[in-house]
Amino acid sequence: MNTRWIVCVVFMAFGCGLLSPLSTVMAEDTEWNKLIDETKSLYRQGQYDRAIEVAKKALELSEKGGEANAPSVAVSLNNLAQLYYDQGRYAAAEPLYKRALAIREKELGPDHPDVAECLNNLALLYSMQGQYAAAEPLYKRALTIIEKALGPDHPAVATGLNNLAELYRTQGQCATAEPLYKRSLAIREKSLGPDHPDVAESLNNLALLYSMQGQYAAAEPLYKRSLAIIEKALGPDHPNVALSLNNLAELYRTQGQYAAAEPLYKRSLAINEKALGQDHPVVALSLNNLAELYRTQGQYAAAEPLYKRSLAIREKALSPNHPDVAESLNNLAEVYRAQGQYAAAEPLYKRSLAINEKALGPDHPVVALSLNNLAELYRTQGQYAAAEPLYKRSLAIREKALGPDHPDVAQSLNNLALLYSTQGQYAAAEPLYKRSLAVIEKALGPDNPTVALSLNNLALLYSTEGQYAVAEPLYKRSLAIYEKSLGPNHPDVAKSLRNLAALYHKTSRPEDAQALEQRAAAIDQIKR
């Protein structure tokens, strides 16, 4: 059950950053150019508040030049909008992006590549807020402009394909995303050569798609090749190397290969601290993910101070009401919940939810995750009446925002079913478990580990009802999927073995049960 934010970095390009001074615009105005350069420098250092003040001065100065300075006004608007975006101040960013777009359409015409850049940035803003229907036509129009202006094999087309693919991946439309990622990769390899950093970006994002679907064997070589390219092109201490290390580590963590993941997370953190400084938001991301590795292994004493440091950095660098602050609060709450410290966890979950509702709106998928996690806290404490409406609201948000066939909808169905099953309402739980299983199989394929989890939960329901003949094949299929996708020695395999062993005990097969329990115990003894 995914109840935490675990950040696997998706490389997004195509204007998703601050723009440089234009050599043909306000060339004589060295003050404006200096302000833009200073803004970019502060941005790279993660000093967003100071960068915003400088960006405002650059915008004010450019606006004094009148119509002749319209292109520089567009640059200034874009940069200020990007800073607001990075702080989670989406309502402030939107009108600036829109105004930059309007200026460029008027000055350059509707089919200019710079117009496509503005469309892309506005689309990314909408996507981040879960407004996928608003984002899609903008991404598509940007892609059409670039293809027409620069040709179908231009690197900028590859970037447009990548960003559209990422929109579909976020919505769980993996089959739609995959050919776009692949075409993006092919264009980049052909036009830029196999060792270009943009090729590494495409490899990373395709690997993330495969990892999301549980295709870990397909993802690993892509992550490794991406990392090798980045290290060769940018050097071993570049922040992008840290991103690649993070993603490969996350792949290993997901598969239970903790010993392989830990040094990668640590190296990623060290690179970011050295390159960006101790208090940069990207360092907070590295701390969060290393903490998650420890939390997964039950090493709560190791995880807690990392989550707390991540939270402190984000509150200082991004403002206390940024969605990333909500992420840190949620994850710290998870550590407390896992240890039974419910009174410590609850206010953190509630603050996380409040931040997300304010920053992203009440119908955003991340709000649904916050609701789910607070509901899970109440369910764990037996407060079923408090949990149920939260689970239901989470489900409703996800169905509306993501569509009825998204994996996150399956999670909500599963958790609501678990709530009913815990209360003995088996007739209410069964159809929810079945629909959850159907959604996951359709979205992620029949061999995904999440399918195994759904099968396990449905089997447990039947076993609890005494329907052992119905439960047994589900447990066995769940075990087979775990073994195939995660390897025979993964902790989830051990859990699956124990569940099947419990069924054997109930059906008077003690020898079969003992064999499974012994194997599970052997898995537990493996040092990870």
Side-chain angles (χ1 to χ4, degrees):
M1 186 189 307
N2 178 22
T3 56
R4 292 157 300 285
W5 281 272
I6 308 303
V7 183
C8 222
V9 179
V10 179
F11 291 92
M12 295 285 283
F14 199 61
C16 299
L18 302 193
L19 302 182
S20 300
L22 303 181
S23 59
T24 57
V25 179
M26 295 186 72
E28 74 288 350
D29 195 333
T30 57
E31 183 181 355
W32 181 80
N33 281 270
K34 287 179 179 179
L35 289 170
I36 295 295
D37 286 338
E38 185 181 356
T39 301
K40 291 183 67 178
S41 177
L42 292 168
Y43 174 79
R44 284 192 294 267
Q45 297 172 57
Q47 298 184 37
Y48 299 140
D49 285 335
R50 289 181 58 196
I52 284 173
E53 293 307 311
V54 178
K56 286 180 177 178
K57 292 178 181 178
L59 175 59
E60 182 180 356
L61 184 61
S62 65
E63 288 178 320
K64 289 180 179 178
E67 288 294 322
N69 289 330
S72 64
V73 172
V75 171
S76 299
L77 287 164
N78 176 87
N79 290 357
L80 184 55
Q82 180 65 35
L83 288 161
Y84 285 143
Y85 169 88
D86 284 333
Q87 285 201 318
R89 297 165 63 179
Y90 304 128
E94 184 177 358
L96 302 181
Y97 276 139
K98 284 183 172 179
R99 188 177 158 205
L101 172 61
I103 290 172
R104 284 185 162 169
E105 285 184 309
K106 180 180 179 181
E107 294 293 319
L108 304 173
D111 298 325
H112 194 279
D114 287 353
V115 170
E117 178 183 57
C118 286
L119 290 165
N120 174 85
N121 289 353
L122 188 57
L124 181 60
L125 179 72
Y126 290 143
S127 180
M128 183 59 65
Q129 297 176 86
Q131 299 178 30
Y132 305 124
E136 185 176 1
L138 300 181
Y139 276 136
K140 285 183 172 179
R141 184 184 159 203
L143 178 59
T144 299
I145 290 170
I146 290 296
E147 284 189 300
K148 181 179 178 181
L150 303 177
D153 297 324
H154 193 278
V157 171
T159 305
L161 290 163
N162 173 84
N163 292 355
L164 184 59
E166 176 55 20
L167 178 72
Y168 292 135
R169 188 197 66 79
T170 303
Q171 298 177 82
Q173 300 178 30
C174 300
T176 305
E178 185 175 0
L180 300 178
Y181 279 135
K182 286 183 172 179
R183 186 183 158 205
S184 175
L185 173 60
I187 291 172
R188 285 171 165 171
E189 287 184 309
K190 180 180 179 181
S191 61
L192 301 173
D195 297 326
H196 193 279
D198 287 355
V199 171
E201 172 192 301
S202 287
L203 291 165
N204 174 87
N205 292 356
L206 184 58
L208 180 58
L209 180 74
Y210 290 146
S211 181
M212 176 180 170
Q213 298 174 86
Q215 300 179 33
Y216 305 126
E220 185 175 0
L222 300 182
Y223 276 138
K224 286 184 172 179
R225 186 182 157 204
S226 177
L227 174 59
I229 291 171
I230 290 291
E231 285 189 301
K232 181 180 178 181
L234 303 177
D237 298 325
H238 193 279
N240 282 3
V241 172
L243 300 186
S244 288
L245 289 164
N246 173 86
N247 289 357
L248 183 58
E250 176 59 18
L251 180 73
Y252 290 143
R253 188 198 67 82
T254 303
Q255 297 176 85
Q257 300 179 33
Y258 306 133
E262 185 174 3
L264 301 181
Y265 279 133
K266 286 184 171 179
R267 186 182 158 204
S268 176
L269 172 60
I271 290 171
N272 283 327
E273 287 183 314
K274 181 180 178 181
L276 303 172
Q278 297 278 328
D279 297 325
H280 195 281
V282 174
V283 171
L285 169 67
S286 290
L287 290 163
N288 175 84
N289 291 356
L290 180 59
E292 177 57 18
L293 176 71
Y294 293 139
R295 190 214 59 81
T296 302
Q297 299 175 82
Q299 299 180 29
Y300 305 125
E304 184 177 349
L306 299 179
Y307 279 136
K308 285 183 173 179
R309 186 181 157 205
S310 176
L311 172 61
I313 291 171
R314 285 170 163 171
E315 288 186 308
K316 179 180 178 181
L318 300 174
S319 86
N321 295 314
H322 191 281
D324 286 356
V325 171
E327 173 191 22
S328 289
L329 291 164
N330 173 87
N331 291 356
L332 184 58
E334 279 291 299
V335 169
Y336 292 142
R337 185 181 70 84
Q339 298 175 87
Q341 299 179 32
Y342 303 130
E346 186 175 0
L348 300 182
Y349 279 133
K350 286 184 172 179
R351 184 181 159 205
S352 177
L353 173 60
I355 290 171
N356 283 325
E357 287 187 304
K358 181 178 179 180
L360 303 173
D363 298 324
H364 193 281
V366 171
V367 171
L369 178 59
S370 291
L371 290 163
N372 174 85
N373 293 356
L374 183 57
E376 186 64 14
L377 177 72
Y378 291 142
R379 186 195 64 80
T380 303
Q381 297 177 83
Q383 299 180 32
Y384 305 131
E388 185 174 1
L390 301 180
Y391 278 136
K392 285 184 173 179
R393 184 182 159 204
S394 176
L395 173 60
I397 291 171
R398 284 170 164 172
E399 287 184 310
K400 179 180 179 181
L402 302 171
D405 298 325
H406 192 279
D408 288 355
V409 170
Q411 183 199 48
S412 287
L413 291 164
N414 174 86
N415 292 354
L416 186 57
L418 178 61
L419 179 72
Y420 292 144
S421 181
T422 303
Q423 299 175 83
Q425 300 178 31
Y426 304 127
E430 184 179 359
L432 300 179
Y433 275 137
K434 286 183 172 180
R435 185 182 157 204
S436 176
L437 174 60
V439 170
I440 287 293
E441 285 189 299
K442 180 180 178 181
L444 302 180
D447 297 324
N448 189 278
T450 310
V451 172
L453 176 62
S454 289
L455 288 163
N456 174 84
N457 292 352
L458 184 58
L460 180 61
L461 176 73
Y462 290 135
S463 181
T464 304
E465 292 183 294
Q467 300 185 45
Y468 303 126
V470 181
E472 185 171 348
L474 300 179
Y475 274 138
K476 286 182 174 178
R477 186 182 159 207
S478 175
L479 174 60
I481 292 172
Y482 277 136
E483 290 180 313
K484 179 180 179 182
S485 62
L486 301 176
N489 297 317
H490 192 278
D492 287 349
V493 172
K495 294 176 184 177
S496 192
L497 288 165
R498 287 195 174 90
N499 289 346
L500 184 55
L503 183 139
Y504 286 158
H505 279 301
K506 291 176 181 177
T507 53
S508 302
R509 288 178 279 176
E511 292 182 358
D512 292 338
Q514 186 177 14
L516 297 183
E517 288 168 340
Q518 288 175 346
R519 189 181 156 204
I523 293 172
D524 291 341
Q525 295 301 313
I526 296 173
K527 187 176 181 180
R528 302 181 187 280

